Amino acid sequence: MLRVGVLVSGGGTNLQAILDGMDNKTITNARVEVVISNNPGAYALERARNHGIAAECLSPKEFDDREAFNKALVEKIDSYCLDLIVLAGYLVKIPEIMIEKYRNKIINIHPSLIPSFCGVGYYGLKVHEAALERGVKLTGATVHFVDEGMDSGPILLQKAVEVKAGDTPQLLQKRVMEQAEWKILPQAINMIANGLSE
């Protein structure tokens, strides 16, 4: 059984897609052990509690410096003996000590077709604003392994989504979530849990 930890900063819609995938058995051999957020008001923590999953808040603001936070985050992750860490809208830079320790065991969902609209500064609505500004006809989402760079690790899955005339960043964000993110993130976890990702 793959022991999964999910790191989130907001509402947790991708977390919900994972939980739904486990409930309806599109994800097998995996269990979410803990949901960790940097934001005490994140609705994702409530989603975790409603599912009987440990919900932890660890904010950089609670620590004297980033090094102390990084150490506490790694200790928290270690305490759950996780096999896979899923970044599902987690807006805190992952410390290098954690990337080193959990090499090829951390995945992220990004709301574009990497290498487009990714890297520093591209998160949330900013990604969709950039896609519309550039006039692309296709966008989508990418699940990739996390390395020391920003959105630069090996790609596991991608799914394209059509950009439609009259799209606003909000409309496009919703379509990318519904048609791509909520499908390929559970799929990637299932692949890893069942040894299909090699």
Side-chain angles (χ1 to χ4, degrees), residues 2 74 77-78 82-86 93-108 144-150 152-154 192 197-198:
L2 192 79
V74 172
I77 299 258
D78 287 350
L82 301 175
D83 303 307
L84 181 69
I85 298 155
V86 179
K93 188 169 171 30
I94 299 300
E96 285 194 15
I97 51 168
M98 186 165 137
I99 293 166
E100 194 59 51
K101 190 167 196 175
Y102 289 92
R103 177 83 56 201
N104 298 323
K105 291 184 176 178
I106 308 172
I107 61 171
N108 179 49
H144 65 94
F145 287 102
V146 174
D147 65 8
E148 284 79 1
M150 188 70 76
S152 60
I192 292 166
S197 63
E198 278 75 47

Side-chain angles (χ1 to χ4, degrees), residues 2-173:
L2 192 79
R3 296 171 61 88
V4 180
V6 184
L7 274 55
V8 291
S9 290
T13 54
N14 276 309
L15 168 65
Q16 191 62 54
I18 295 166
L19 298 175
D20 291 348
M22 290 179 177
D23 289 345
N24 66 29
K25 305 286 186 263
T26 51
I27 301 174
T28 58
N29 294 325
R31 184 174 63 231
V32 176
E33 296 292 332
V34 64
V35 172
I36 300 172
S37 181
N38 60 303
N39 171 9
Y43 185 65
L45 294 172
E46 196 59 35
R47 290 182 198 268
R49 288 185 201 103
N50 292 342
H51 241 79
I53 295 165
E56 304 259 12
C57 182
L58 213 59
S59 169
K61 293 177 185 143
E62 298 165 4
F63 295 86
D64 292 338
D65 56 32
R66 190 44 78 101
E67 197 177 321
F69 166 75
N70 289 348
K71 188 171 180 289
L73 179 63
V74 172
E75 284 171 3
K76 182 64 69 184
I77 299 258
D78 287 350
S79 74
Y80 282 94
C81 304
L82 301 175
D83 303 307
L84 181 69
I85 298 155
V86 179
L87 309 183
Y90 188 61
L91 302 179
V92 176
K93 188 169 171 30
I94 299 300
E96 285 194 15
I97 51 168
M98 186 165 137
I99 293 166
E100 194 59 51
K101 190 167 196 175
Y102 289 92
R103 177 83 56 201
N104 298 323
K105 291 184 176 178
I106 308 172
I107 61 171
N108 179 49
I109 181 89
H110 184 77
S112 78
L113 295 173
I114 290 174
S116 299
F117 315 116
C118 67
V120 178
Y122 285 105
Y123 61 90
L125 273 181
K126 294 178 193 309
V127 176
H128 306 293
E129 287 164 358
L132 291 172
E133 214 170 275
R134 185 72 182 92
V136 296
K137 303 296 177 221
L138 280 178
T139 187
T142 303
V143 176
H144 65 94
F145 287 102
V146 174
D147 65 8
E148 284 79 1
M150 188 70 76
D151 300 326
S152 60
I155 291 171
L156 193 55
L157 287 174
Q158 288 186 306
K159 189 170 190 326
V161 173
E162 186 186 354
V163 179
K164 297 184 176 173
D167 267 345
T168 62
Q170 290 81 358
L171 276 173
L172 188 55
Q173 181 182 49

